[in-house]
Each structure stands twice: as C-alpha cells, then as structure tokens.
Amino acid sequence: LTVIILGQIMPDQTVIYYYADAKTTHTTYPDGLEVLQFSNGQIEKHYPDGKKEITFPDQTIKSLFTDGQEESIFPDGTIVRIQRDGSKTIEFNNGQRELHTSEFKRREYPDGTVKTVYSNGHQETKYVSGRIRVKDKDGNILMDTKL
C-alpha cells in the first residue's frame, strides 16, 4: 500500500507527489522530465528520450543511455564508461586510462607507457622508448627488448 501525503499540480502543470511510506518525492515536469528524490539523498532523473541519470548520496553520477551505454562520474574525477558490448573504459584523475575487454585489460600511463594483461595471463608492456617486455602468466620474462 502506497500512501500519498501530497499530490499537487502546479500552475505550470508540474505534478508533485510525495510518497510517505518511501519518503520519496516524484516530480513530473510539463516537458516529460521525471525527478525522484529519495530520503537518502539519491536523485534520479528520467528524461523523455529514455535516458536516466542517477546522483547517489556520495555525489557519484551515473548516466544510463537508451543505446545501452553507461557512464559513471565519481567524486574524485574518475570516469567509467561501459559500452554495449561490455567493454569498459576507465579514466583516472591522475591521467591514467584503462580499457577492459573480454580479451585483455590495458592501462595507458601519461608518459605513454602501455601495459596489457591478456585473458590467458600474459603481460606486455610497451615503453615510450620503444622497449617491449613480455611476461608469461607467472611473471617470467619471455622477451625484453632493452634499448
């Protein structure tokens, strides 16, 4: 049973409901935007085009797009993007970037170094100098082109 304490239509046709049992306010604007505000501070925006944006109590913002992609922006500036195919890109606030796929995880460093760890455990590190180092799943060096 949902108890509505307040149901109100504003002069601009904005509709506001307050659900007492859930301590949630649900506002629908004339343009179709719906905003839900929860007692824990979480806010959800549901846009007419189907996009959803959730702001969590810690101020993390997660966007869910109609094409299946997702993006989360964390308070420290880290951004995580998830594509429809499940691959994930992480941009860290220190300039590092990661790409996760079913085949590998790759980290790119600001100095241009790229480290890839493959699903079979093999690791490959490419340095800006041109040096390449390859290790097996146990960390044994298979190749190192020290320049």
Side-chain angles (χ1 to χ4, degrees):
L1 178 67
T2 300
V3 178
I4 299 173
I5 290 228
L6 173 68
Q8 195 172 10
I9 299 177
M10 307 305 283
D12 70 354
Q13 299 305 306
T14 297
V15 179
I16 303 170
Y17 288 108
Y18 178 73
Y19 298 93
D21 58 343
K23 297 184 180 131
T24 301
T25 301
H26 182 179
T27 306
T28 304
Y29 294 91
D31 65 2
L33 172 67
E34 294 184 50
V35 178
L36 294 102
Q37 296 174 284
F38 299 90
S39 60
N40 67 356
Q42 179 172 314
I43 299 171
E44 290 188 15
K45 294 179 182 176
H46 298 218
Y47 293 90
D49 67 1
K51 176 186 168 189
K52 293 181 183 175
E53 181 181 283
I54 304 163
T55 303
F56 294 95
D58 72 355
Q59 297 310 300
T60 296
I61 300 170
K62 181 176 205 167
S63 298
L64 305 167
F65 299 95
T66 56
D67 64 2
Q69 295 184 68
E70 295 181 18
E71 177 182 84
S72 296
I73 303 172
F74 294 88
D76 70 357
T78 300
I79 300 172
V80 177
R81 292 184 181 92
I82 301 173
Q83 304 302 316
R84 288 177 29 202
D85 65 4
S87 64
K88 182 189 301 186
T89 304
I90 305 166
E91 295 175 16
F92 297 95
N93 60 8
N94 62 6
Q96 295 181 16
R97 192 169 179 256
E98 275 191 13
L99 174 62
H100 296 195
T101 71
S102 56
E103 292 87 36
F104 63 83
K105 291 182 182 176
R106 174 175 296 141
R107 184 172 283 231
E108 301 167 0
Y109 295 87
D111 71 358
T113 300
V114 176
K115 181 175 183 176
T116 306
V117 179
Y118 295 93
S119 54
N120 65 6
H122 274 68
Q123 298 178 26
E124 177 182 276
T125 307
K126 294 181 180 180
Y127 299 90
V128 182
S129 64
R131 176 183 176 193
I132 298 173
R133 185 175 62 205
V134 179
K135 295 180 180 179
D136 67 15
K137 65 180 174 53
D138 299 317
N140 301 309
I141 296 175
L142 300 176
M143 180 181 90
D144 194 342
T145 61
K146 291 181 185 167
L147 298 176

mmCIF file of all heavy atoms in Angstrom, residues 25-70:
data_model
loop_
_atom_site.group_PDB
_atom_site.id
_atom_site.type_symbol
_atom_site.label_atom_id
_atom_site.label_comp_id
_atom_site.label_asym_id
_atom_site.label_seq_id
_atom_site.Cartn_x
_atom_site.Cartn_y
_atom_site.Cartn_z
ATOM 1 N N THR A 25 9.913 11.899 -3.113
ATOM 2 C CA THR A 25 9.175 12.900 -3.879
ATOM 3 C C THR A 25 9.355 12.576 -5.356
ATOM 4 O O THR A 25 10.460 12.319 -5.816
ATOM 5 C CB THR A 25 9.718 14.322 -3.593
ATOM 6 O OG1 THR A 25 9.601 14.577 -2.193
ATOM 7 C CG2 THR A 25 8.923 15.371 -4.361
ATOM 8 N N HIS A 26 8.241 12.565 -6.090
ATOM 9 C CA HIS A 26 8.233 12.275 -7.530
ATOM 10 C C HIS A 26 7.632 13.487 -8.231
ATOM 11 O O HIS A 26 6.459 13.793 -8.053
ATOM 12 C CB HIS A 26 7.396 11.017 -7.784
ATOM 13 C CG HIS A 26 7.368 10.600 -9.219
ATOM 14 N ND1 HIS A 26 6.692 9.482 -9.619
ATOM 15 C CD2 HIS A 26 7.896 11.133 -10.347
ATOM 16 C CE1 HIS A 26 6.814 9.344 -10.943
ATOM 17 N NE2 HIS A 26 7.536 10.344 -11.391
ATOM 18 N N THR A 27 8.467 14.162 -9.016
ATOM 19 C CA THR A 27 8.025 15.356 -9.720
ATOM 20 C C THR A 27 8.052 15.087 -11.217
ATOM 21 O O THR A 27 9.044 14.588 -11.747
ATOM 22 C CB THR A 27 8.963 16.553 -9.396
ATOM 23 O OG1 THR A 27 9.039 16.700 -7.977
ATOM 24 C CG2 THR A 27 8.453 17.838 -10.029
ATOM 25 N N THR A 28 6.949 15.395 -11.889
ATOM 26 C CA THR A 28 6.871 15.271 -13.346
ATOM 27 C C THR A 28 6.660 16.665 -13.913
ATOM 28 O O THR A 28 5.706 17.355 -13.555
ATOM 29 C CB THR A 28 5.715 14.352 -13.764
ATOM 30 O OG1 THR A 28 5.883 13.078 -13.128
ATOM 31 C CG2 THR A 28 5.686 14.145 -15.267
ATOM 32 N N TYR A 29 7.587 17.053 -14.801
ATOM 33 C CA TYR A 29 7.540 18.382 -15.406
ATOM 34 C C TYR A 29 6.787 18.331 -16.725
ATOM 35 O O TYR A 29 6.679 17.274 -17.347
ATOM 36 C CB TYR A 29 8.965 18.911 -15.613
ATOM 37 C CG TYR A 29 9.669 19.159 -14.295
ATOM 38 C CD1 TYR A 29 10.433 18.158 -13.706
ATOM 39 C CD2 TYR A 29 9.537 20.377 -13.631
ATOM 40 C CE1 TYR A 29 11.068 18.369 -12.486
ATOM 41 C CE2 TYR A 29 10.161 20.593 -12.418
ATOM 42 C CZ TYR A 29 10.927 19.593 -11.844
ATOM 43 O OH TYR A 29 11.539 19.788 -10.633
ATOM 44 N N PRO A 30 6.267 19.478 -17.186
ATOM 45 C CA PRO A 30 5.492 19.513 -18.430
ATOM 46 C C PRO A 30 6.238 18.955 -19.641
ATOM 47 O O PRO A 30 5.617 18.405 -20.546
ATOM 48 C CB PRO A 30 5.187 21.008 -18.627
ATOM 49 C CG PRO A 30 5.255 21.593 -17.259
ATOM 50 C CD PRO A 30 6.310 20.793 -16.526
ATOM 51 N N ASP A 31 7.577 19.059 -19.665
ATOM 52 C CA ASP A 31 8.344 18.549 -20.810
ATOM 53 C C ASP A 31 8.573 17.042 -20.749
ATOM 54 O O ASP A 31 9.222 16.472 -21.614
ATOM 55 C CB ASP A 31 9.683 19.283 -20.942
ATOM 56 C CG ASP A 31 10.626 19.032 -19.766
ATOM 57 O OD1 ASP A 31 10.274 18.249 -18.835
ATOM 58 O OD2 ASP A 31 11.730 19.607 -19.773
ATOM 59 N N GLY A 32 8.048 16.382 -19.678
ATOM 60 C CA GLY A 32 8.163 14.936 -19.562
ATOM 61 C C GLY A 32 9.267 14.472 -18.637
ATOM 62 O O GLY A 32 9.345 13.291 -18.302
ATOM 63 N N LEU A 33 10.145 15.373 -18.206
ATOM 64 C CA LEU A 33 11.197 15.001 -17.259
ATOM 65 C C LEU A 33 10.567 14.588 -15.936
ATOM 66 O O LEU A 33 9.668 15.257 -15.427
ATOM 67 C CB LEU A 33 12.144 16.186 -17.022
ATOM 68 C CG LEU A 33 13.189 16.004 -15.914
ATOM 69 C CD1 LEU A 33 14.206 14.940 -16.290
ATOM 70 C CD2 LEU A 33 13.878 17.335 -15.623
ATOM 71 N N GLU A 34 11.025 13.433 -15.412
ATOM 72 C CA GLU A 34 10.579 12.982 -14.095
ATOM 73 C C GLU A 34 11.774 12.972 -13.159
ATOM 74 O O GLU A 34 12.847 12.490 -13.518
ATOM 75 C CB GLU A 34 9.988 11.571 -14.166
ATOM 76 C CG GLU A 34 8.714 11.487 -14.974
ATOM 77 C CD GLU A 34 8.112 10.095 -14.937
ATOM 78 O OE1 GLU A 34 7.962 9.537 -13.825
ATOM 79 O OE2 GLU A 34 7.826 9.575 -16.017
ATOM 80 N N VAL A 35 11.600 13.506 -11.958
ATOM 81 C CA VAL A 35 12.670 13.549 -10.966
ATOM 82 C C VAL A 35 12.165 12.880 -9.698
ATOM 83 O O VAL A 35 11.118 13.233 -9.166
ATOM 84 C CB VAL A 35 13.106 15.003 -10.666
ATOM 85 C CG1 VAL A 35 14.189 15.017 -9.604
ATOM 86 C CG2 VAL A 35 13.597 15.692 -11.932
ATOM 87 N N LEU A 36 12.927 11.873 -9.245
ATOM 88 C CA LEU A 36 12.612 11.200 -7.991
ATOM 89 C C LEU A 36 13.690 11.556 -6.980
ATOM 90 O O LEU A 36 14.878 11.415 -7.263
ATOM 91 C CB LEU A 36 12.558 9.685 -8.190
ATOM 92 C CG LEU A 36 11.415 9.219 -9.077
ATOM 93 C CD1 LEU A 36 11.946 8.901 -10.462
ATOM 94 C CD2 LEU A 36 10.729 8.033 -8.474
ATOM 95 N N GLN A 37 13.274 12.023 -5.806
ATOM 96 C CA GLN A 37 14.203 12.371 -4.741
ATOM 97 C C GLN A 37 13.914 11.456 -3.557
ATOM 98 O O GLN A 37 12.806 11.453 -3.027
ATOM 99 C CB GLN A 37 14.034 13.834 -4.348
ATOM 100 C CG GLN A 37 14.390 14.778 -5.484
ATOM 101 C CD GLN A 37 14.087 16.219 -5.160
ATOM 102 O OE1 GLN A 37 12.932 16.630 -5.179
ATOM 103 N NE2 GLN A 37 15.128 16.979 -4.873
ATOM 104 N N PHE A 38 14.947 10.679 -3.181
ATOM 105 C CA PHE A 38 14.807 9.704 -2.111
ATOM 106 C C PHE A 38 15.329 10.277 -0.800
ATOM 107 O O PHE A 38 16.152 11.194 -0.789
ATOM 108 C CB PHE A 38 15.556 8.415 -2.471
ATOM 109 C CG PHE A 38 15.032 7.754 -3.724
ATOM 110 C CD1 PHE A 38 15.560 8.078 -4.967
ATOM 111 C CD2 PHE A 38 14.002 6.837 -3.652
ATOM 112 C CE1 PHE A 38 15.081 7.489 -6.120
ATOM 113 C CE2 PHE A 38 13.501 6.236 -4.802
ATOM 114 C CZ PHE A 38 14.041 6.562 -6.041
ATOM 115 N N SER A 39 14.893 9.704 0.309
ATOM 116 C CA SER A 39 15.262 10.223 1.627
ATOM 117 C C SER A 39 16.755 10.110 1.919
ATOM 118 O O SER A 39 17.285 10.855 2.731
ATOM 119 C CB SER A 39 14.464 9.509 2.720
ATOM 120 O OG SER A 39 14.736 8.117 2.688
ATOM 121 N N ASN A 40 17.459 9.189 1.230
ATOM 122 C CA ASN A 40 18.902 9.036 1.470
ATOM 123 C C ASN A 40 19.727 10.042 0.674
ATOM 124 O O ASN A 40 20.954 10.022 0.720
ATOM 125 C CB ASN A 40 19.359 7.613 1.149
ATOM 126 C CG ASN A 40 19.266 7.278 -0.333
ATOM 127 O OD1 ASN A 40 18.788 8.069 -1.141
ATOM 128 N ND2 ASN A 40 19.730 6.095 -0.683
ATOM 129 N N GLY A 41 19.058 10.910 -0.093
ATOM 130 C CA GLY A 41 19.766 11.914 -0.880
ATOM 131 C C GLY A 41 19.930 11.535 -2.343
ATOM 132 O O GLY A 41 20.380 12.344 -3.145
ATOM 133 N N GLN A 42 19.585 10.305 -2.698
ATOM 134 C CA GLN A 42 19.695 9.888 -4.099
ATOM 135 C C GLN A 42 18.643 10.624 -4.927
ATOM 136 O O GLN A 42 17.508 10.795 -4.490
ATOM 137 C CB GLN A 42 19.491 8.383 -4.217
ATOM 138 C CG GLN A 42 19.571 7.867 -5.648
ATOM 139 C CD GLN A 42 19.566 6.347 -5.705
ATOM 140 O OE1 GLN A 42 20.288 5.707 -4.958
ATOM 141 N NE2 GLN A 42 18.753 5.796 -6.581
ATOM 142 N N ILE A 43 19.062 11.052 -6.115
ATOM 143 C CA ILE A 43 18.146 11.732 -7.036
ATOM 144 C C ILE A 43 18.220 11.021 -8.381
ATOM 145 O O ILE A 43 19.302 10.784 -8.902
ATOM 146 C CB ILE A 43 18.532 13.218 -7.222
ATOM 147 C CG1 ILE A 43 18.451 13.951 -5.882
ATOM 148 C CG2 ILE A 43 17.639 13.888 -8.261
ATOM 149 C CD1 ILE A 43 19.024 15.352 -5.912
ATOM 150 N N GLU A 44 17.076 10.678 -8.932
ATOM 151 C CA GLU A 44 17.010 10.059 -10.256
ATOM 152 C C GLU A 44 16.251 10.985 -11.189
ATOM 153 O O GLU A 44 15.197 11.491 -10.836
ATOM 154 C CB GLU A 44 16.280 8.709 -10.209
ATOM 155 C CG GLU A 44 17.037 7.630 -9.509
ATOM 156 C CD GLU A 44 16.380 6.261 -9.647
ATOM 157 O OE1 GLU A 44 15.490 6.087 -10.520
ATOM 158 O OE2 GLU A 44 16.762 5.383 -8.873
ATOM 159 N N LYS A 45 16.836 11.174 -12.379
ATOM 160 C CA LYS A 45 16.160 11.939 -13.422
ATOM 161 C C LYS A 45 15.873 10.998 -14.574
ATOM 162 O O LYS A 45 16.777 10.339 -15.069
ATOM 163 C CB LYS A 45 17.038 13.100 -13.897
ATOM 164 C CG LYS A 45 17.277 14.154 -12.838
ATOM 165 C CD LYS A 45 18.169 15.261 -13.353
ATOM 166 C CE LYS A 45 18.435 16.285 -12.269
ATOM 167 N NZ LYS A 45 19.379 17.324 -12.732
ATOM 168 N N HIS A 46 14.629 10.933 -14.979
ATOM 169 C CA HIS A 46 14.210 10.108 -16.107
ATOM 170 C C HIS A 46 13.765 11.071 -17.208
ATOM 171 O O HIS A 46 12.761 11.758 -17.070
ATOM 172 C CB HIS A 46 13.058 9.189 -15.712
ATOM 173 C CG HIS A 46 13.417 8.208 -14.637
ATOM 174 N ND1 HIS A 46 12.953 6.920 -14.637
ATOM 175 C CD2 HIS A 46 14.192 8.303 -13.537
ATOM 176 C CE1 HIS A 46 13.423 6.278 -13.575
ATOM 177 N NE2 HIS A 46 14.175 7.109 -12.892
ATOM 178 N N TYR A 47 14.550 11.113 -18.289
ATOM 179 C CA TYR A 47 14.285 12.055 -19.374
ATOM 180 C C TYR A 47 13.291 11.460 -20.362
ATOM 181 O O TYR A 47 13.190 10.238 -20.507
ATOM 182 C CB TYR A 47 15.601 12.402 -20.084
ATOM 183 C CG TYR A 47 16.536 13.195 -19.202
ATOM 184 C CD1 TYR A 47 17.455 12.544 -18.384
ATOM 185 C CD2 TYR A 47 16.483 14.585 -19.169
ATOM 186 C CE1 TYR A 47 18.313 13.270 -17.552
ATOM 187 C CE2 TYR A 47 17.331 15.320 -18.349
ATOM 188 C CZ TYR A 47 18.240 14.657 -17.540
ATOM 189 O OH TYR A 47 19.074 15.375 -16.722
ATOM 190 N N PRO A 48 12.555 12.325 -21.077
ATOM 191 C CA PRO A 48 11.564 11.838 -22.045
ATOM 192 C C PRO A 48 12.155 10.926 -23.117
ATOM 193 O O PRO A 48 11.475 10.038 -23.612
ATOM 194 C CB PRO A 48 11.017 13.124 -22.685
ATOM 195 C CG PRO A 48 11.320 14.206 -21.708
ATOM 196 C CD PRO A 48 12.570 13.785 -20.977
ATOM 197 N N ASP A 49 13.444 11.114 -23.468
ATOM 198 C CA ASP A 49 14.060 10.285 -24.515
ATOM 199 C C ASP A 49 14.504 8.917 -23.998
ATOM 200 O O ASP A 49 15.047 8.118 -24.751
ATOM 201 C CB ASP A 49 15.239 11.014 -25.160
ATOM 202 C CG ASP A 49 16.414 11.221 -24.192
ATOM 203 O OD1 ASP A 49 16.338 10.788 -23.018
ATOM 204 O OD2 ASP A 49 17.414 11.820 -24.625
ATOM 205 N N GLY A 50 14.283 8.649 -22.696
ATOM 206 C CA GLY A 50 14.630 7.350 -22.130
ATOM 207 C C GLY A 50 15.925 7.339 -21.332
ATOM 208 O O GLY A 50 16.209 6.397 -20.610
ATOM 209 N N LYS A 51 16.736 8.378 -21.463
ATOM 210 C CA LYS A 51 17.976 8.463 -20.687
ATOM 211 C C LYS A 51 17.633 8.604 -19.205
ATOM 212 O O LYS A 51 16.634 9.233 -18.849
ATOM 213 C CB LYS A 51 18.800 9.676 -21.148
ATOM 214 C CG LYS A 51 20.045 9.899 -20.328
ATOM 215 C CD LYS A 51 20.771 11.192 -20.722
ATOM 216 C CE LYS A 51 21.831 11.521 -19.704
ATOM 217 N NZ LYS A 51 22.420 12.838 -19.899
ATOM 218 N N LYS A 52 18.477 7.992 -18.359
ATOM 219 C CA LYS A 52 18.307 8.120 -16.907
ATOM 220 C C LYS A 52 19.617 8.613 -16.314
ATOM 221 O O LYS A 52 20.692 8.203 -16.748
ATOM 222 C CB LYS A 52 17.930 6.790 -16.274
ATOM 223 C CG LYS A 52 16.572 6.292 -16.675
ATOM 224 C CD LYS A 52 16.230 4.975 -16.014
ATOM 225 C CE LYS A 52 14.877 4.486 -16.506
ATOM 226 N NZ LYS A 52 14.561 3.153 -15.983
ATOM 227 N N GLU A 53 19.512 9.476 -15.324
ATOM 228 C CA GLU A 53 20.690 9.974 -14.628
ATOM 229 C C GLU A 53 20.433 9.838 -13.135
ATOM 230 O O GLU A 53 19.418 10.316 -12.634
ATOM 231 C CB GLU A 53 20.932 11.441 -14.986
ATOM 232 C CG GLU A 53 22.149 12.038 -14.335
ATOM 233 C CD GLU A 53 22.320 13.505 -14.711
ATOM 234 O OE1 GLU A 53 22.777 13.768 -15.837
ATOM 235 O OE2 GLU A 53 21.968 14.350 -13.867
ATOM 236 N N ILE A 54 21.350 9.151 -12.450
ATOM 237 C CA ILE A 54 21.207 8.916 -11.019
ATOM 238 C C ILE A 54 22.356 9.617 -10.303
ATOM 239 O O ILE A 54 23.520 9.397 -10.632
ATOM 240 C CB ILE A 54 21.239 7.413 -10.697
ATOM 241 C CG1 ILE A 54 20.170 6.672 -11.494
ATOM 242 C CG2 ILE A 54 21.077 7.179 -9.194
ATOM 243 C CD1 ILE A 54 20.353 5.177 -11.575
ATOM 244 N N THR A 55 22.030 10.467 -9.340
ATOM 245 C CA THR A 55 23.043 11.081 -8.490
ATOM 246 C C THR A 55 22.928 10.404 -7.129
ATOM 247 O O THR A 55 21.894 10.481 -6.470
ATOM 248 C CB THR A 55 22.825 12.599 -8.353
ATOM 249 O OG1 THR A 55 22.831 13.178 -9.660
ATOM 250 C CG2 THR A 55 23.926 13.238 -7.522
ATOM 251 N N PHE A 56 23.994 9.698 -6.740
ATOM 252 C CA PHE A 56 24.000 8.960 -5.486
ATOM 253 C C PHE A 56 24.365 9.885 -4.329
ATOM 254 O O PHE A 56 24.930 10.966 -4.547
ATOM 255 C CB PHE A 56 24.984 7.787 -5.583
ATOM 256 C CG PHE A 56 24.545 6.739 -6.578
ATOM 257 C CD1 PHE A 56 25.009 6.760 -7.880
ATOM 258 C CD2 PHE A 56 23.640 5.751 -6.210
ATOM 259 C CE1 PHE A 56 24.599 5.813 -8.808
ATOM 260 C CE2 PHE A 56 23.211 4.795 -7.126
ATOM 261 C CZ PHE A 56 23.689 4.832 -8.421
ATOM 262 N N PRO A 57 24.081 9.462 -3.097
ATOM 263 C CA PRO A 57 24.391 10.314 -1.939
ATOM 264 C C PRO A 57 25.859 10.759 -1.869
ATOM 265 O O PRO A 57 26.151 11.845 -1.395
ATOM 266 C CB PRO A 57 24.026 9.432 -0.745
ATOM 267 C CG PRO A 57 22.950 8.531 -1.273
ATOM 268 C CD PRO A 57 23.352 8.265 -2.705
ATOM 269 N N ASP A 58 26.800 9.938 -2.391
ATOM 270 C CA ASP A 58 28.228 10.323 -2.372
ATOM 271 C C ASP A 58 28.588 11.244 -3.538
ATOM 272 O O ASP A 58 29.751 11.554 -3.742
ATOM 273 C CB ASP A 58 29.122 9.087 -2.360
ATOM 274 C CG ASP A 58 29.133 8.339 -3.691
ATOM 275 O OD1 ASP A 58 28.377 8.705 -4.618
ATOM 276 O OD2 ASP A 58 29.905 7.371 -3.810
ATOM 277 N N GLN A 59 27.574 11.667 -4.306
ATOM 278 C CA GLN A 59 27.694 12.568 -5.459
ATOM 279 C C GLN A 59 28.228 11.890 -6.721
ATOM 280 O O GLN A 59 28.538 12.567 -7.705
ATOM 281 C CB GLN A 59 28.518 13.826 -5.128
ATOM 282 C CG GLN A 59 27.865 14.678 -4.042
ATOM 283 C CD GLN A 59 26.388 14.969 -4.302
ATOM 284 O OE1 GLN A 59 26.037 15.557 -5.303
ATOM 285 N NE2 GLN A 59 25.513 14.531 -3.411
ATOM 286 N N THR A 60 28.339 10.549 -6.721
ATOM 287 C CA THR A 60 28.615 9.824 -7.956
ATOM 288 C C THR A 60 27.415 10.035 -8.877
ATOM 289 O O THR A 60 26.269 9.957 -8.428
ATOM 290 C CB THR A 60 28.808 8.319 -7.687
ATOM 291 O OG1 THR A 60 29.962 8.138 -6.876
ATOM 292 C CG2 THR A 60 28.948 7.516 -8.963
ATOM 293 N N ILE A 61 27.691 10.298 -10.152
ATOM 294 C CA ILE A 61 26.613 10.492 -11.129
ATOM 295 C C ILE A 61 26.701 9.375 -12.161
ATOM 296 O O ILE A 61 27.743 9.185 -12.792
ATOM 297 C CB ILE A 61 26.725 11.857 -11.830
ATOM 298 C CG1 ILE A 61 26.631 12.984 -10.802
ATOM 299 C CG2 ILE A 61 25.635 12.000 -12.898
ATOM 300 C CD1 ILE A 61 26.980 14.349 -11.361
ATOM 301 N N LYS A 62 25.619 8.625 -12.307
ATOM 302 C CA LYS A 62 25.572 7.529 -13.279
ATOM 303 C C LYS A 62 24.521 7.861 -14.331
ATOM 304 O O LYS A 62 23.378 8.162 -13.988
ATOM 305 C CB LYS A 62 25.222 6.217 -12.586
ATOM 306 C CG LYS A 62 25.188 5.023 -13.524
ATOM 307 C CD LYS A 62 24.925 3.743 -12.747
ATOM 308 C CE LYS A 62 25.477 2.570 -13.486
ATOM 309 N NZ LYS A 62 25.516 1.376 -12.643
ATOM 310 N N SER A 63 24.930 7.813 -15.599
ATOM 311 C CA SER A 63 24.002 8.045 -16.704
ATOM 312 C C SER A 63 23.788 6.740 -17.452
ATOM 313 O O SER A 63 24.750 6.034 -17.756
ATOM 314 C CB SER A 63 24.567 9.100 -17.664
ATOM 315 O OG SER A 63 24.738 10.332 -16.997
ATOM 316 N N LEU A 64 22.538 6.413 -17.705
ATOM 317 C CA LEU A 64 22.158 5.224 -18.464
ATOM 318 C C LEU A 64 21.524 5.715 -19.754
ATOM 319 O O LEU A 64 20.489 6.387 -19.735
ATOM 320 C CB LEU A 64 21.167 4.377 -17.663
ATOM 321 C CG LEU A 64 21.621 3.966 -16.266
ATOM 322 C CD1 LEU A 64 20.459 3.414 -15.458
ATOM 323 C CD2 LEU A 64 22.737 2.954 -16.362
ATOM 324 N N PHE A 65 22.170 5.397 -20.882
ATOM 325 C CA PHE A 65 21.710 5.893 -22.173
ATOM 326 C C PHE A 65 20.799 4.879 -22.847
ATOM 327 O O PHE A 65 20.877 3.680 -22.587
ATOM 328 C CB PHE A 65 22.913 6.228 -23.066
ATOM 329 C CG PHE A 65 23.789 7.298 -22.463
ATOM 330 C CD1 PHE A 65 24.901 6.953 -21.718
ATOM 331 C CD2 PHE A 65 23.476 8.642 -22.628
ATOM 332 C CE1 PHE A 65 25.709 7.934 -21.145
ATOM 333 C CE2 PHE A 65 24.276 9.631 -22.059
ATOM 334 C CZ PHE A 65 25.401 9.273 -21.319
ATOM 335 N N THR A 66 19.960 5.355 -23.747
ATOM 336 C CA THR A 66 18.975 4.493 -24.397
ATOM 337 C C THR A 66 19.623 3.450 -25.294
ATOM 338 O O THR A 66 19.018 2.421 -25.576
ATOM 339 C CB THR A 66 17.985 5.326 -25.226
ATOM 340 O OG1 THR A 66 18.717 6.124 -26.158
ATOM 341 C CG2 THR A 66 17.167 6.241 -24.333
ATOM 342 N N ASP A 67 20.871 3.671 -25.734
ATOM 343 C CA ASP A 67 21.546 2.692 -26.594
ATOM 344 C C ASP A 67 22.278 1.617 -25.791
ATOM 345 O O ASP A 67 23.000 0.803 -26.347
ATOM 346 C CB ASP A 67 22.513 3.384 -27.555
ATOM 347 C CG ASP A 67 23.657 4.095 -26.835
ATOM 348 O OD1 ASP A 67 23.736 4.028 -25.589
ATOM 349 O OD2 ASP A 67 24.476 4.723 -27.537
ATOM 350 N N GLY A 68 22.116 1.629 -24.442
ATOM 351 C CA GLY A 68 22.715 0.600 -23.602
ATOM 352 C C GLY A 68 24.048 0.997 -22.990
ATOM 353 O O GLY A 68 24.583 0.271 -22.160
ATOM 354 N N GLN A 69 24.600 2.139 -23.368
ATOM 355 C CA GLN A 69 25.860 2.588 -22.784
ATOM 356 C C GLN A 69 25.602 3.186 -21.406
ATOM 357 O O GLN A 69 24.511 3.666 -21.122
ATOM 358 C CB GLN A 69 26.528 3.618 -23.680
ATOM 359 C CG GLN A 69 26.951 3.062 -25.019
ATOM 360 C CD GLN A 69 27.689 4.094 -25.842
ATOM 361 O OE1 GLN A 69 28.787 4.482 -25.490
ATOM 362 N NE2 GLN A 69 27.075 4.524 -26.928
ATOM 363 N N GLU A 70 26.644 3.143 -20.572
ATOM 364 C CA GLU A 70 26.577 3.727 -19.237
ATOM 365 C C GLU A 70 27.803 4.583 -19.002
ATOM 366 O O GLU A 70 28.876 4.291 -19.525
ATOM 367 C CB GLU A 70 26.582 2.638 -18.154
ATOM 368 C CG GLU A 70 25.394 1.730 -18.147
ATOM 369 C CD GLU A 70 25.476 0.685 -17.029
ATOM 370 O OE1 GLU A 70 26.258 0.860 -16.069
ATOM 371 O OE2 GLU A 70 24.762 -0.313 -17.136
#
